[in-house]
mmCIF file of all heavy atoms in Angstrom:
data_model
loop_
_atom_site.group_PDB
_atom_site.id
_atom_site.type_symbol
_atom_site.label_atom_id
_atom_site.label_comp_id
_atom_site.label_asym_id
_atom_site.label_seq_id
_atom_site.Cartn_x
_atom_site.Cartn_y
_atom_site.Cartn_z
ATOM 1 N N VAL A 258 163.136 -49.938 122.075
ATOM 2 C CA VAL A 258 162.673 -49.476 120.760
ATOM 3 C C VAL A 258 162.304 -48.009 120.918
ATOM 4 O O VAL A 258 161.457 -47.675 121.764
ATOM 5 C CB VAL A 258 161.456 -50.275 120.268
ATOM 6 C CG1 VAL A 258 161.009 -49.778 118.897
ATOM 7 C CG2 VAL A 258 161.791 -51.760 120.210
ATOM 8 N N GLN A 285 165.812 -59.727 114.754
ATOM 9 C CA GLN A 285 165.782 -60.205 113.374
ATOM 10 C C GLN A 285 164.513 -59.806 112.631
ATOM 11 O O GLN A 285 164.499 -59.785 111.405
ATOM 12 C CB GLN A 285 165.893 -61.739 113.362
ATOM 13 C CG GLN A 285 167.214 -62.268 113.855
ATOM 14 C CD GLN A 285 168.364 -61.880 112.958
ATOM 15 O OE1 GLN A 285 168.234 -61.859 111.731
ATOM 16 N NE2 GLN A 285 169.505 -61.542 113.548
ATOM 17 N N SER A 286 163.434 -59.550 113.365
ATOM 18 C CA SER A 286 162.140 -59.299 112.730
ATOM 19 C C SER A 286 161.614 -57.947 113.176
ATOM 20 O O SER A 286 161.669 -57.623 114.356
ATOM 21 C CB SER A 286 161.137 -60.386 113.121
ATOM 22 O OG SER A 286 161.633 -61.677 112.833
ATOM 23 N N PHE A 288 158.502 -54.825 112.514
ATOM 24 C CA PHE A 288 157.127 -54.629 112.070
ATOM 25 C C PHE A 288 156.726 -53.171 112.240
ATOM 26 O O PHE A 288 157.201 -52.480 113.143
ATOM 27 C CB PHE A 288 156.163 -55.496 112.909
ATOM 28 C CG PHE A 288 156.499 -56.966 112.897
ATOM 29 C CD1 PHE A 288 157.358 -57.494 113.830
ATOM 30 C CD2 PHE A 288 155.933 -57.797 111.946
ATOM 31 C CE1 PHE A 288 157.675 -58.854 113.822
ATOM 32 C CE2 PHE A 288 156.237 -59.152 111.939
ATOM 33 C CZ PHE A 288 157.108 -59.679 112.864
ATOM 34 N N TYR A 290 153.106 -51.157 112.751
ATOM 35 C CA TYR A 290 151.669 -51.219 112.972
ATOM 36 C C TYR A 290 151.109 -49.804 112.890
ATOM 37 O O TYR A 290 151.765 -48.836 113.304
ATOM 38 C CB TYR A 290 151.348 -51.793 114.362
ATOM 39 C CG TYR A 290 151.533 -53.284 114.490
ATOM 40 C CD1 TYR A 290 152.788 -53.854 114.657
ATOM 41 C CD2 TYR A 290 150.434 -54.137 114.442
ATOM 42 C CE1 TYR A 290 152.948 -55.221 114.767
ATOM 43 C CE2 TYR A 290 150.576 -55.519 114.557
ATOM 44 C CZ TYR A 290 151.844 -56.049 114.718
ATOM 45 O OH TYR A 290 151.999 -57.412 114.830
ATOM 46 N N GLN A 292 147.864 -47.410 114.084
ATOM 47 C CA GLN A 292 146.777 -47.349 115.051
ATOM 48 C C GLN A 292 146.034 -46.030 114.901
ATOM 49 O O GLN A 292 146.570 -44.959 115.216
ATOM 50 C CB GLN A 292 147.297 -47.499 116.486
ATOM 51 C CG GLN A 292 146.196 -47.621 117.524
ATOM 52 C CD GLN A 292 146.730 -47.926 118.910
ATOM 53 O OE1 GLN A 292 147.884 -47.669 119.221
ATOM 54 N NE2 GLN A 292 145.872 -48.483 119.774
ATOM 55 N N GLY A 295 141.539 -44.309 118.898
ATOM 56 C CA GLY A 295 140.428 -45.084 119.430
ATOM 57 C C GLY A 295 140.280 -46.473 118.861
ATOM 58 O O GLY A 295 139.307 -47.171 119.160
ATOM 59 N N LYS A 296 141.241 -46.880 118.043
ATOM 60 C CA LYS A 296 141.180 -48.199 117.411
ATOM 61 C C LYS A 296 142.385 -49.036 117.840
ATOM 62 O O LYS A 296 143.301 -48.563 118.498
ATOM 63 C CB LYS A 296 141.174 -48.062 115.891
ATOM 64 C CG LYS A 296 140.032 -47.236 115.340
ATOM 65 C CD LYS A 296 138.699 -47.938 115.520
ATOM 66 C CE LYS A 296 137.576 -47.162 114.852
ATOM 67 N NZ LYS A 296 136.272 -47.820 115.041
ATOM 68 N N SER A 297 142.381 -50.309 117.449
ATOM 69 C CA SER A 297 143.478 -51.202 117.789
ATOM 70 C C SER A 297 144.561 -51.152 116.718
ATOM 71 O O SER A 297 144.301 -50.756 115.582
ATOM 72 C CB SER A 297 142.948 -52.619 117.964
ATOM 73 O OG SER A 297 142.322 -53.061 116.777
ATOM 74 N N PRO A 298 145.777 -51.541 117.058
ATOM 75 C CA PRO A 298 146.861 -51.563 116.055
ATOM 76 C C PRO A 298 146.588 -52.589 114.965
ATOM 77 O O PRO A 298 146.025 -53.652 115.236
ATOM 78 C CB PRO A 298 148.090 -51.961 116.880
ATOM 79 C CG PRO A 298 147.730 -51.687 118.296
ATOM 80 C CD PRO A 298 146.268 -51.918 118.398
ATOM 81 N N GLU A 299 147.008 -52.287 113.741
ATOM 82 C CA GLU A 299 146.920 -53.239 112.644
ATOM 83 C C GLU A 299 148.260 -53.276 111.945
ATOM 84 O O GLU A 299 148.899 -52.250 111.720
ATOM 85 C CB GLU A 299 145.801 -52.872 111.670
ATOM 86 C CG GLU A 299 145.944 -51.506 111.049
ATOM 87 C CD GLU A 299 144.870 -51.193 110.019
ATOM 88 O OE1 GLU A 299 144.446 -52.118 109.307
ATOM 89 O OE2 GLU A 299 144.486 -50.022 109.928
ATOM 90 N N LEU A 300 148.676 -54.484 111.580
ATOM 91 C CA LEU A 300 149.964 -54.661 110.925
ATOM 92 C C LEU A 300 149.908 -54.128 109.506
ATOM 93 O O LEU A 300 148.997 -54.455 108.748
ATOM 94 C CB LEU A 300 150.319 -56.150 110.908
ATOM 95 C CG LEU A 300 151.646 -56.504 110.248
ATOM 96 C CD1 LEU A 300 152.804 -55.983 111.088
ATOM 97 C CD2 LEU A 300 151.756 -58.010 110.067
ATOM 98 N N SER A 303 156.053 -55.698 107.406
ATOM 99 C CA SER A 303 157.048 -56.460 108.138
ATOM 100 C C SER A 303 158.315 -56.505 107.276
ATOM 101 O O SER A 303 158.234 -56.480 106.053
ATOM 102 C CB SER A 303 156.564 -57.882 108.438
ATOM 103 O OG SER A 303 156.252 -58.558 107.238
ATOM 104 N N TYR A 305 162.484 -58.267 107.307
ATOM 105 C CA TYR A 305 163.360 -59.191 108.012
ATOM 106 C C TYR A 305 164.823 -59.082 107.570
ATOM 107 O O TYR A 305 165.721 -59.551 108.259
ATOM 108 C CB TYR A 305 162.895 -60.632 107.791
ATOM 109 C CG TYR A 305 161.448 -60.849 108.176
ATOM 110 C CD1 TYR A 305 160.460 -60.937 107.195
ATOM 111 C CD2 TYR A 305 161.056 -60.941 109.506
ATOM 112 C CE1 TYR A 305 159.133 -61.127 107.545
ATOM 113 C CE2 TYR A 305 159.722 -61.132 109.859
ATOM 114 C CZ TYR A 305 158.777 -61.221 108.857
ATOM 115 O OH TYR A 305 157.457 -61.402 109.207
ATOM 116 N N LEU A 342 153.341 -47.508 115.018
ATOM 117 C CA LEU A 342 154.105 -48.209 116.049
ATOM 118 C C LEU A 342 155.149 -49.090 115.400
ATOM 119 O O LEU A 342 154.831 -49.920 114.534
ATOM 120 C CB LEU A 342 153.175 -49.082 116.902
ATOM 121 C CG LEU A 342 151.973 -48.417 117.548
ATOM 122 C CD1 LEU A 342 151.076 -49.459 118.224
ATOM 123 C CD2 LEU A 342 152.410 -47.381 118.559
ATOM 124 N N ILE A 346 161.169 -57.925 117.305
ATOM 125 C CA ILE A 346 161.152 -59.200 118.022
ATOM 126 C C ILE A 346 162.468 -59.362 118.778
ATOM 127 O O ILE A 346 163.549 -59.303 118.187
ATOM 128 C CB ILE A 346 160.985 -60.373 117.045
ATOM 129 C CG1 ILE A 346 159.610 -60.351 116.385
ATOM 130 C CG2 ILE A 346 161.210 -61.692 117.787
ATOM 131 C CD1 ILE A 346 158.501 -60.984 117.157
ATOM 132 N N ARG A 347 162.352 -59.563 120.076
ATOM 133 C CA ARG A 347 163.527 -59.946 120.873
ATOM 134 C C ARG A 347 163.019 -60.949 121.899
ATOM 135 O O ARG A 347 162.761 -60.616 123.040
ATOM 136 C CB ARG A 347 164.181 -58.745 121.538
ATOM 137 C CG ARG A 347 165.555 -59.080 122.121
ATOM 138 C CD ARG A 347 166.239 -57.836 122.623
ATOM 139 N NE ARG A 347 165.623 -57.252 123.792
ATOM 140 C CZ ARG A 347 165.877 -57.666 125.044
ATOM 141 N NH1 ARG A 347 166.691 -58.657 125.257
ATOM 142 N NH2 ARG A 347 165.282 -57.076 126.050
ATOM 143 N N GLY A 348 162.823 -62.165 121.406
ATOM 144 C CA GLY A 348 162.160 -63.170 122.225
ATOM 145 C C GLY A 348 160.663 -62.965 122.231
ATOM 146 O O GLY A 348 159.882 -63.898 122.122
ATOM 147 N N LYS A 349 160.262 -61.732 122.345
ATOM 148 C CA LYS A 349 158.850 -61.360 122.278
ATOM 149 C C LYS A 349 158.774 -60.040 121.519
ATOM 150 O O LYS A 349 159.798 -59.414 121.233
ATOM 151 C CB LYS A 349 158.278 -61.189 123.691
ATOM 152 C CG LYS A 349 158.995 -60.152 124.515
ATOM 153 C CD LYS A 349 158.529 -60.143 125.959
ATOM 154 C CE LYS A 349 159.303 -59.124 126.768
ATOM 155 N NZ LYS A 349 158.974 -59.177 128.208
ATOM 156 N N LEU A 350 157.575 -59.624 121.219
ATOM 157 C CA LEU A 350 157.404 -58.406 120.419
ATOM 158 C C LEU A 350 157.512 -57.188 121.346
ATOM 159 O O LEU A 350 156.743 -57.052 122.294
ATOM 160 C CB LEU A 350 156.042 -58.440 119.733
ATOM 161 C CG LEU A 350 155.810 -57.525 118.539
ATOM 162 C CD1 LEU A 350 156.827 -57.811 117.445
ATOM 163 C CD2 LEU A 350 154.403 -57.705 118.026
ATOM 164 N N PHE A 352 157.384 -53.070 121.524
ATOM 165 C CA PHE A 352 156.857 -51.923 120.786
ATOM 166 C C PHE A 352 157.551 -50.631 121.215
ATOM 167 O O PHE A 352 157.914 -50.474 122.375
ATOM 168 C CB PHE A 352 155.355 -51.769 121.043
ATOM 169 C CG PHE A 352 154.496 -52.753 120.307
ATOM 170 C CD1 PHE A 352 154.195 -53.994 120.869
ATOM 171 C CD2 PHE A 352 153.963 -52.440 119.060
ATOM 172 C CE1 PHE A 352 153.395 -54.893 120.193
ATOM 173 C CE2 PHE A 352 153.153 -53.340 118.389
ATOM 174 C CZ PHE A 352 152.882 -54.571 118.952
ATOM 175 N N GLY A 353 157.698 -49.722 120.255
ATOM 176 C CA GLY A 353 158.025 -48.346 120.574
ATOM 177 C C GLY A 353 156.763 -47.619 120.989
ATOM 178 O O GLY A 353 155.653 -48.155 120.907
ATOM 179 N N GLN A 354 156.915 -46.379 121.422
ATOM 180 C CA GLN A 354 155.749 -45.638 121.911
ATOM 181 C C GLN A 354 154.908 -45.076 120.786
ATOM 182 O O GLN A 354 153.801 -44.615 121.024
ATOM 183 C CB GLN A 354 156.183 -44.528 122.861
ATOM 184 C CG GLN A 354 156.939 -43.382 122.198
ATOM 185 C CD GLN A 354 157.264 -42.294 123.212
ATOM 186 O OE1 GLN A 354 158.109 -42.463 124.072
ATOM 187 N NE2 GLN A 354 156.565 -41.176 123.111
ATOM 188 N N THR B 47 137.500 -57.097 113.089
ATOM 189 C CA THR B 47 138.600 -58.039 113.038
ATOM 190 C C THR B 47 138.117 -59.401 113.475
ATOM 191 O O THR B 47 136.991 -59.564 113.940
ATOM 192 C CB THR B 47 139.731 -57.572 113.959
ATOM 193 O OG1 THR B 47 139.289 -57.666 115.316
ATOM 194 C CG2 THR B 47 140.112 -56.134 113.657
ATOM 195 N N ARG B 54 133.666 -53.075 125.586
ATOM 196 C CA ARG B 54 134.498 -52.044 124.947
ATOM 197 C C ARG B 54 134.939 -50.992 125.956
ATOM 198 O O ARG B 54 136.040 -50.441 125.844
ATOM 199 C CB ARG B 54 133.719 -51.367 123.811
ATOM 200 C CG ARG B 54 133.425 -52.273 122.626
ATOM 201 C CD ARG B 54 134.709 -52.708 121.908
ATOM 202 N NE ARG B 54 135.471 -51.578 121.433
ATOM 203 C CZ ARG B 54 135.286 -51.003 120.254
ATOM 204 N NH1 ARG B 54 134.358 -51.436 119.439
ATOM 205 N NH2 ARG B 54 136.044 -49.984 119.883
ATOM 206 N N TYR B 80 147.826 -57.233 126.199
ATOM 207 C CA TYR B 80 148.682 -56.061 126.233
ATOM 208 C C TYR B 80 147.965 -54.943 126.988
ATOM 209 O O TYR B 80 146.739 -54.824 126.934
ATOM 210 C CB TYR B 80 148.986 -55.552 124.824
ATOM 211 C CG TYR B 80 150.084 -56.277 124.100
ATOM 212 C CD1 TYR B 80 149.817 -57.415 123.356
ATOM 213 C CD2 TYR B 80 151.400 -55.823 124.152
ATOM 214 C CE1 TYR B 80 150.819 -58.080 122.673
ATOM 215 C CE2 TYR B 80 152.418 -56.478 123.468
ATOM 216 C CZ TYR B 80 152.113 -57.608 122.741
ATOM 217 O OH TYR B 80 153.117 -58.261 122.061
ATOM 218 N N GLN B 82 147.933 -50.729 127.138
ATOM 219 C CA GLN B 82 148.366 -49.512 126.454
ATOM 220 C C GLN B 82 147.932 -48.312 127.265
ATOM 221 O O GLN B 82 146.752 -47.999 127.348
ATOM 222 C CB GLN B 82 147.798 -49.436 125.029
ATOM 223 C CG GLN B 82 148.394 -48.295 124.224
ATOM 224 C CD GLN B 82 147.962 -48.312 122.779
ATOM 225 O OE1 GLN B 82 146.826 -48.644 122.463
ATOM 226 N NE2 GLN B 82 148.860 -47.938 121.868
ATOM 227 N N LYS B 85 150.817 -42.242 126.138
ATOM 228 C CA LYS B 85 152.210 -41.825 125.988
ATOM 229 C C LYS B 85 153.222 -42.911 126.348
ATOM 230 O O LYS B 85 154.393 -42.618 126.558
ATOM 231 C CB LYS B 85 152.509 -40.572 126.838
ATOM 232 C CG LYS B 85 151.567 -39.409 126.596
ATOM 233 C CD LYS B 85 151.679 -38.883 125.185
ATOM 234 C CE LYS B 85 150.774 -37.667 125.006
ATOM 235 N NZ LYS B 85 150.782 -37.191 123.605
ATOM 236 N N LYS B 86 152.775 -44.161 126.444
ATOM 237 C CA LYS B 86 153.693 -45.256 126.761
ATOM 238 C C LYS B 86 153.601 -46.332 125.688
ATOM 239 O O LYS B 86 152.565 -46.502 125.054
ATOM 240 C CB LYS B 86 153.346 -45.868 128.120
ATOM 241 C CG LYS B 86 153.667 -45.001 129.307
ATOM 242 C CD LYS B 86 153.403 -45.784 130.591
ATOM 243 C CE LYS B 86 153.754 -44.974 131.813
ATOM 244 N NZ LYS B 86 153.499 -45.740 133.061
ATOM 245 N N PRO B 87 154.673 -47.103 125.504
ATOM 246 C CA PRO B 87 154.596 -48.218 124.548
ATOM 247 C C PRO B 87 153.626 -49.283 125.026
ATOM 248 O O PRO B 87 153.369 -49.406 126.231
ATOM 249 C CB PRO B 87 156.024 -48.762 124.520
ATOM 250 C CG PRO B 87 156.885 -47.721 125.133
ATOM 251 C CD PRO B 87 156.024 -46.971 126.078
ATOM 252 N N LEU B 88 153.142 -50.065 124.077
ATOM 253 C CA LEU B 88 152.354 -51.243 124.425
ATOM 254 C C LEU B 88 153.182 -52.147 125.333
ATOM 255 O O LEU B 88 154.337 -52.446 125.047
ATOM 256 C CB LEU B 88 151.995 -52.023 123.163
ATOM 257 C CG LEU B 88 150.794 -51.549 122.383
ATOM 258 C CD1 LEU B 88 150.792 -52.155 120.994
ATOM 259 C CD2 LEU B 88 149.513 -51.945 123.105
ATOM 260 N N LEU B 90 153.493 -55.837 127.054
ATOM 261 C CA LEU B 90 153.029 -57.210 127.069
ATOM 262 C C LEU B 90 152.776 -57.647 128.506
ATOM 263 O O LEU B 90 153.604 -57.443 129.385
ATOM 264 C CB LEU B 90 154.073 -58.125 126.430
ATOM 265 C CG LEU B 90 153.745 -59.607 126.403
ATOM 266 C CD1 LEU B 90 152.525 -59.879 125.552
ATOM 267 C CD2 LEU B 90 154.951 -60.397 125.891
ATOM 268 N N GLU B 101 154.292 -66.739 129.140
ATOM 269 C CA GLU B 101 154.902 -65.470 129.508
ATOM 270 C C GLU B 101 154.036 -64.802 130.548
ATOM 271 O O GLU B 101 152.826 -64.716 130.398
ATOM 272 C CB GLU B 101 155.012 -64.569 128.276
ATOM 273 C CG GLU B 101 155.636 -63.204 128.533
ATOM 274 C CD GLU B 101 157.136 -63.176 128.271
ATOM 275 O OE1 GLU B 101 157.608 -63.962 127.433
ATOM 276 O OE2 GLU B 101 157.818 -62.380 128.912
ATOM 277 N N ASN B 103 154.683 -61.265 132.310
ATOM 278 C CA ASN B 103 155.679 -60.194 132.260
ATOM 279 C C ASN B 103 155.665 -59.356 133.530
ATOM 280 O O ASN B 103 155.453 -58.156 133.483
ATOM 281 C CB ASN B 103 155.413 -59.343 131.023
ATOM 282 C CG ASN B 103 156.670 -58.682 130.518
ATOM 283 O OD1 ASN B 103 157.764 -59.160 130.722
ATOM 284 N ND2 ASN B 103 156.494 -57.567 129.826
ATOM 285 N N LEU B 133 144.008 -48.835 128.141
ATOM 286 C CA LEU B 133 143.371 -49.667 127.118
ATOM 287 C C LEU B 133 144.005 -51.052 127.182
ATOM 288 O O LEU B 133 145.231 -51.182 127.107
ATOM 289 C CB LEU B 133 143.594 -49.045 125.736
ATOM 290 C CG LEU B 133 143.000 -49.797 124.546
ATOM 291 C CD1 LEU B 133 141.468 -49.768 124.598
ATOM 292 C CD2 LEU B 133 143.496 -49.204 123.229
ATOM 293 N N LEU B 135 144.390 -54.560 125.435
ATOM 294 C CA LEU B 135 144.261 -55.141 124.114
ATOM 295 C C LEU B 135 144.555 -56.633 124.143
ATOM 296 O O LEU B 135 145.539 -57.070 124.734
ATOM 297 C CB LEU B 135 145.234 -54.476 123.136
ATOM 298 C CG LEU B 135 144.908 -53.039 122.737
ATOM 299 C CD1 LEU B 135 146.137 -52.343 122.196
ATOM 300 C CD2 LEU B 135 143.784 -53.016 121.728
ATOM 301 N N GLY B 143 153.480 -67.983 118.961
ATOM 302 C CA GLY B 143 154.194 -66.897 119.626
ATOM 303 C C GLY B 143 155.683 -66.870 119.361
ATOM 304 O O GLY B 143 156.444 -66.258 120.092
ATOM 305 N N GLY B 144 156.147 -67.499 118.311
ATOM 306 C CA GLY B 144 157.580 -67.535 118.055
ATOM 307 C C GLY B 144 158.088 -66.329 117.285
ATOM 308 O O GLY B 144 157.358 -65.372 117.040
ATOM 309 N N GLU B 145 159.343 -66.387 116.886
ATOM 310 C CA GLU B 145 159.969 -65.289 116.161
ATOM 311 C C GLU B 145 159.215 -65.016 114.860
ATOM 312 O O GLU B 145 158.832 -65.933 114.145
ATOM 313 C CB GLU B 145 161.412 -65.651 115.822
ATOM 314 C CG GLU B 145 162.321 -65.789 117.037
ATOM 315 C CD GLU B 145 162.783 -64.450 117.553
ATOM 316 O OE1 GLU B 145 162.855 -63.500 116.762
ATOM 317 O OE2 GLU B 145 163.069 -64.362 118.748
ATOM 318 N N GLY B 146 159.039 -63.751 114.566
ATOM 319 C CA GLY B 146 158.411 -63.394 113.300
ATOM 320 C C GLY B 146 156.912 -63.483 113.294
ATOM 321 O O GLY B 146 156.287 -63.212 112.272
ATOM 322 N N GLU B 147 156.330 -63.820 114.429
ATOM 323 C CA GLU B 147 154.886 -63.931 114.476
ATOM 324 C C GLU B 147 154.211 -62.581 114.316
ATOM 325 O O GLU B 147 154.627 -61.595 114.910
ATOM 326 C CB GLU B 147 154.468 -64.535 115.820
ATOM 327 C CG GLU B 147 154.646 -66.031 115.867
ATOM 328 C CD GLU B 147 153.413 -66.760 115.379
ATOM 329 O OE1 GLU B 147 153.264 -66.960 114.168
ATOM 330 O OE2 GLU B 147 152.591 -67.144 116.225
ATOM 331 N N LYS B 148 153.158 -62.554 113.535
ATOM 332 C CA LYS B 148 152.399 -61.327 113.345
ATOM 333 C C LYS B 148 151.181 -61.370 114.241
ATOM 334 O O LYS B 148 150.500 -62.387 114.315
ATOM 335 C CB LYS B 148 151.990 -61.199 111.883
ATOM 336 C CG LYS B 148 153.176 -61.145 110.941
ATOM 337 C CD LYS B 148 152.759 -61.214 109.492
ATOM 338 C CE LYS B 148 153.997 -61.293 108.600
ATOM 339 N NZ LYS B 148 153.626 -61.446 107.178
ATOM 340 N N LEU B 149 150.903 -60.263 114.881
ATOM 341 C CA LEU B 149 149.801 -60.193 115.818
ATOM 342 C C LEU B 149 148.565 -59.588 115.172
ATOM 343 O O LEU B 149 148.652 -58.670 114.368
ATOM 344 C CB LEU B 149 150.180 -59.345 117.032
ATOM 345 C CG LEU B 149 151.352 -59.830 117.883
ATOM 346 C CD1 LEU B 149 151.548 -58.908 119.077
ATOM 347 C CD2 LEU B 149 151.119 -61.247 118.350
ATOM 348 N N PHE B 151 145.120 -57.832 116.478
ATOM 349 C CA PHE B 151 144.580 -57.243 117.704
ATOM 350 C C PHE B 151 143.067 -57.145 117.683
ATOM 351 O O PHE B 151 142.449 -56.954 116.632
ATOM 352 C CB PHE B 151 145.144 -55.827 117.904
ATOM 353 C CG PHE B 151 146.572 -55.794 118.364
ATOM 354 C CD1 PHE B 151 147.601 -55.769 117.441
ATOM 355 C CD2 PHE B 151 146.880 -55.792 119.721
ATOM 356 C CE1 PHE B 151 148.933 -55.730 117.867
ATOM 357 C CE2 PHE B 151 148.192 -55.749 120.153
ATOM 358 C CZ PHE B 151 149.218 -55.725 119.223
ATOM 359 N N GLY B 152 142.479 -57.241 118.869
ATOM 360 C CA GLY B 152 141.094 -56.884 119.070
ATOM 361 C C GLY B 152 140.961 -55.380 119.245
ATOM 362 O O GLY B 152 141.958 -54.648 119.232
ATOM 363 N N SER B 153 139.726 -54.924 119.410
ATOM 364 C CA SER B 153 139.461 -53.486 119.504
ATOM 365 C C SER B 153 139.778 -52.911 120.875
ATOM 366 O O SER B 153 139.815 -51.694 121.039
ATOM 367 C CB SER B 153 138.000 -53.198 119.175
ATOM 368 O OG SER B 153 137.714 -53.624 117.868
#
Side-chain angles (χ1 to χ4, degrees):
Chain A
V258 181
Q285 294 295 322
S286 306
F288 304 89
Y290 285 79
Q292 187 174 22
K296 302 291 185 181
S297 58
E299 59 176 325
L300 180 68
S303 58
Y305 305 103
L342 306 174
I346 293 275
R347 192 173 69 84
K349 58 188 178 186
L350 199 58
F352 284 88
Q354 69 177 72
Chain B
T47 68
R54 293 295 302 272
Y80 279 87
Q82 189 173 37
K85 306 296 183 185
K86 289 186 178 180
L88 277 164
L90 178 64
E101 180 94 28
N103 207 26
L133 180 67
L135 289 160
E145 293 280 334
E147 281 271 85
K148 299 172 185 176
L149 298 183
F151 285 90
S153 299

